[in-house]
Amino acid sequence: MTDQGLGPDQIDELARRAQAGDRDALETLLAAVRPRALNVCRGVLPHLPDAEDACQDALINVAAKIGSWNGRGRFTTWLHVVAMNSARSTYRRMKRQATPHDPTEHAAIERPDPRTTSVIAGTRLDLLEAMETIERDHPQFVEPLLLRDVYGLSYEEIARQVGAPLGTVKAQIHHGRKLARPLLRGGE
């Protein structure tokens, strides 16, 4: 996948130049990776305006924290994590701001839309709730699990991104899945 016609090596080079303080490179980089960041955010937040808010936060974080990209893996892998974390933060913020539902109302139960349904959960909300629960007691499992099962990154890419040995990452994903199964769709 290319970003605005730029290949992975060109994206990495722009990121290195941006780290070195090149403002033009940073602006070009942000414009080039915005579609990718938006796609990651839409993976968590299917409502486009919410995903766009999360994407904007992700790009602000990229600009502010580009120095924390260590250059060992692809910049786009690091971007994936930043965007995913921004989307999850947006979801948490929206959840806190939500008004309580009136239990006396009997709204029709809607079936999940297959275009917005997670592969490993009944809905994206099921998945986000499960990740929130797991994160409270086992935060080390959440990021590798989401990167593998939601975003489809390879085990090797995840290991580079989180800075852990490949075997550790595989074990974290395995244990994360074991913790997630009973939380998804009521343990069915």
Side-chain angles (χ1 to χ4, degrees), residues 86-160:
S86 292
R88 292 180 63 224
S89 293
T90 298
Y91 168 76
R92 284 188 205 107
R93 184 182 72 243
M94 290 168 42
K95 184 177 169 185
R96 281 192 307 271
Q97 293 172 348
T99 56
H101 175 69
D102 182 355
T104 61
E105 292 180 19
H106 298 292
I109 297 175
E110 294 182 30
R111 293 190 179 275
D113 181 343
R115 296 169 299 164
T116 61
T117 302
S118 167
V119 173
I120 62 171
T123 67
R124 289 185 188 170
L125 294 179
D126 292 341
L127 177 63
L128 291 172
E129 291 294 330
M131 293 303 106
E132 293 289 313
T133 301
I134 292 170
E135 191 169 40
R136 282 193 288 270
D137 296 324
H138 307 285
Q140 72 276 21
F141 300 142
V142 173
E143 184 176 333
L145 181 61
L146 287 173
L147 289 173
R148 178 69 185 150
D149 288 353
V150 175
Y151 296 106
L153 296 182
S154 71
Y155 291 109
E156 293 79 11
E157 287 177 298
I158 297 167
R160 279 193 303 272

Side-chain angles (χ1 to χ4, degrees), residues 46-90:
H47 186 60
L48 183 58
D50 297 338
E52 287 174 338
D53 285 348
C55 178
Q56 186 64 32
D57 289 345
L59 295 176
I60 290 168
N61 286 333
V62 165
K65 299 176 183 178
I66 194 161
S68 67
W69 173 57
N70 59 25
R72 286 185 301 197
R74 289 284 183 194
F75 177 80
T76 52
T77 303
W78 180 79
L79 172 74
H80 239 92
V81 174
V82 172
M84 179 182 63
N85 288 340
S86 292
R88 292 180 63 224
S89 293
T90 298

Side-chain angles (χ1 to χ4, degrees), residues 25-47:
L26 179 61
E27 291 302 319
T28 303
L29 176 67
L30 293 175
V33 299
R34 185 185 185 286
R36 183 183 295 253
L38 182 59
N39 284 338
V40 170
C41 293
R42 287 199 74 181
V44 175
L45 302 163
H47 186 60

